[in-house]
Amino acid sequence: MRSLLEAYGSLADWPAFAASWETLEPDLYLANVGLHRRRRHAVFSAGHAGAITREAHQPHYQSRDYNTLQGGIERWFEPVLPEVADSQTLQTVLGFCQALFGELSPEVGQWQVEVHQFRIEARADEPGQPTPEGVHRDGVDYVLVLMVDRHNIASGTTTIHDAEARTLGSFTLRRPFDAALVDDRRVYHGVTPVQAEDTSAPSHRDVLVVTFRRM
């Protein structure tokens, strides 16, 4: 995956990009139901080719058709920091997605792009929930899930399902740059809970999620 990304730009600042997960803020919407997640969010716009532009900060919204746990409300998260949004690594990732998803859907002239930084924390007394809404679709066209870091974590297996909830396959993102590319219109996906391997030490699962939705 790293070599595929590097065809679209530099990853020279990856260490600083990965370190930015230490700046994520608690997801207060999930805290209301006793779950632990940290995140930041940003929205971009992209054409079939050319510049990818960051848009004004805005809420993340999913209907209850796609998110039965937290759908139907505007969720305001802390914004992705400017130095992360402008980083070589994120611009390279976005360029890769623009090219790949544009090739898959050449009829699309304009995309709404959402970027999510997620940190899932497993506690000594309870697992972390990467997808607390369960097996789901995101309500977009395409999704990239890119592993940034796993520390003191077991499980976290990605599962892919058809419209009748039959499992089509499963795999675990374990190393930086391991990735899942999802056609959200065709399949459902989920991630199993993560457990701390050593319950006396901190543990986390850090991923970057990028979604493309036709405008």
Side-chain angles (χ1 to χ4, degrees):
M1 187 65 192
R2 181 165 191 155
S3 65
L4 290 173
L5 291 172
E6 286 178 327
Y8 295 89
S10 174
L11 299 171
D13 61 0
W14 173 267
F17 177 75
S20 72
W21 265 251
E22 297 296 334
T23 73
L24 304 192
E25 297 291 338
D27 182 341
L28 299 179
Y29 298 91
L30 270 184
N32 293 335
V33 291
L35 300 175
H36 305 286
R37 178 163 69 184
R38 296 179 182 273
R39 67 190 296 175
R40 287 185 182 270
H41 172 247
V43 177
F44 296 78
S45 59
H48 187 72
I52 300 172
T53 305
R54 185 170 187 177
E55 300 296 331
H57 191 50
Q58 55 194 270
H60 176 55
Y61 178 84
Q62 292 173 295
S63 75
R64 291 188 62 83
D65 292 334
Y66 296 106
N67 189 330
T68 56
L69 179 63
Q70 295 180 302
I73 59 172
E74 292 186 344
R75 288 182 286 163
W76 287 90
F77 301 109
E78 290 298 310
V80 171
L81 296 173
E83 58 269 28
V84 177
D86 296 336
S87 67
Q88 292 173 308
T89 292
L90 186 59
Q91 292 301 311
T92 294
V93 170
L94 294 179
F96 164 81
C97 291
Q98 180 187 39
L100 175 63
F101 301 150
E103 183 177 351
L104 292 172
S105 295
E107 75 283 1
V108 177
Q110 194 74 12
W111 298 100
Q112 182 190 57
V113 181
E114 292 193 62
V115 169
H116 306 263
Q117 293 178 277
F118 285 111
R119 167 167 284 186
I120 306 302
E121 299 171 331
R123 307 295 176 94
D125 57 343
E126 63 179 326
Q129 301 285 345
T131 53
E133 63 272 68
V135 173
H136 66 284
R137 291 164 58 211
D138 287 341
V140 298
D141 288 89
Y142 301 108
V143 183
L144 164 71
V145 182
L146 185 70
M147 175 58 63
V148 175
D149 184 48
R150 283 172 63 106
H151 176 72
N152 189 31
I153 283 290
S155 192
T157 297
T158 299
T159 60
I160 305 295
H161 308 261
D162 67 13
E164 284 71 47
R166 294 177 296 228
T167 300
L168 301 175
S170 63
F171 48 88
T172 303
L173 307 180
R174 297 189 181 278
R175 299 168 298 175
F177 296 104
D178 282 355
L181 290 159
V182 180
D183 185 338
D184 194 62
R185 299 166 301 176
R186 297 178 61 194
V187 297
Y188 290 71
H189 65 279
V191 183
T192 62
V194 295
Q195 305 276 354
E197 293 179 327
D198 178 357
T199 57
S200 66
S203 61
H204 60 254
R205 179 182 187 267
D206 294 349
V207 298
L208 175 74
V209 174
V210 177
T211 66
F212 271 56
R213 181 177 66 85
R214 66 188 66 203
M215 295 179 65

Coordinates of all heavy atoms in Angstrom, one line a residue, residues 6 14 22 63 93 101 114 120 122 141 169 174 181:
E6 N 2.8 6.2 -2.7 CA 3.9 7.1 -3.1 C 3.9 7.4 -4.6 O 4.6 8.3 -5.0 CB 5.2 6.4 -2.7 CG 5.5 6.4 -1.2 CD 6.7 5.7 -0.7 OE1 7.1 4.7 -1.4 OE2 7.3 6.2 0.2
W14 N 5.4 11.2 7.4 CA 4.6 10.2 8.1 C 4.8 10.1 9.6 O 3.8 10.1 10.3 CB 4.8 8.8 7.5 CG 4.1 7.7 8.2 CD1 4.6 6.9 9.2 CD2 2.7 7.3 8.1 NE1 3.7 6.0 9.7 CE2 2.5 6.2 9.0 CE3 1.7 7.7 7.2 CZ2 1.3 5.6 9.1 CZ3 0.5 7.0 7.3 CH2 0.3 6.0 8.2
E22 N -2.0 11.7 18.8 CA -1.9 12.0 20.3 C -2.7 13.3 20.6 O -2.9 13.6 21.8 CB -0.4 12.2 20.7 CG 0.4 11.0 20.5 CD 0.0 9.8 21.5 OE1 -0.6 10.1 22.5 OE2 0.2 8.7 21.1
S63 N -27.7 9.5 8.3 CA -29.1 9.2 8.6 C -29.2 8.0 9.5 O -28.2 7.2 9.5 CB -29.9 9.1 7.4 OG -29.6 7.8 6.8
V93 N -2.5 10.7 0.4 CA -3.6 9.8 0.5 C -4.8 10.3 -0.2 O -5.5 9.5 -0.9 CB -3.9 9.6 2.0 CG1 -5.2 8.8 2.2 CG2 -2.8 8.9 2.8
F101 N -10.8 6.3 -7.0 CA -12.3 6.4 -7.0 C -12.8 7.1 -8.2 O -13.9 6.8 -8.7 CB -12.8 7.1 -5.7 CG -12.4 6.4 -4.4 CD1 -12.2 7.1 -3.2 CD2 -12.2 5.0 -4.4 CE1 -11.8 6.5 -2.1 CE2 -11.8 4.3 -3.2 CZ -11.6 5.1 -2.0
E114 N -14.7 13.3 3.2 CA -14.6 13.5 4.7 C -13.4 12.7 5.2 O -13.2 11.5 4.8 CB -15.9 13.0 5.4 CG -17.1 13.9 5.1 CD -18.2 13.7 6.0 OE1 -18.1 13.9 7.2 OE2 -19.3 13.3 5.5
I120 N -9.3 4.3 19.0 CA -10.1 3.5 19.8 C -9.3 3.0 21.0 O -8.2 2.5 20.7 CB -10.7 2.3 19.0 CG1 -11.4 2.7 17.8 CG2 -11.6 1.4 19.9 CD1 -12.6 3.7 18.0
A122 N -8.9 0.6 24.4 CA -9.4 -0.5 25.1 C -9.0 -0.3 26.6 O -7.9 0.1 26.9 CB -8.8 -1.8 24.6
D141 N -20.0 6.7 -1.2 CA -19.7 5.8 -2.4 C -18.5 4.9 -2.1 O -18.6 3.7 -2.3 CB -19.3 6.7 -3.6 CG -20.6 7.3 -4.2 OD1 -20.9 8.4 -3.7 OD2 -21.2 6.7 -5.1
G169 N -15.9 -12.0 3.8 CA -14.5 -12.2 4.1 C -14.2 -11.4 5.3 O -15.0 -10.6 5.9
R174 N -3.0 -4.8 10.7 CA -2.1 -5.0 11.8 C -0.9 -4.0 11.8 O -0.4 -3.6 12.9 CB -1.5 -6.4 11.9 CG -2.5 -7.5 12.1 CD -1.9 -8.8 12.3 NE -2.9 -9.8 12.5 CZ -3.5 -10.1 13.7 NH1 -3.2 -9.4 14.7 NH2 -4.4 -11.0 13.8
L181 N -10.2 -1.0 1.3 CA -10.9 -0.2 0.4 C -12.2 -0.8 0.2 O -12.4 -1.9 -0.2 CB -10.1 -0.1 -0.9 CG -8.8 0.6 -0.9 CD1 -7.8 0.2 -2.0 CD2 -9.0 2.1 -0.9

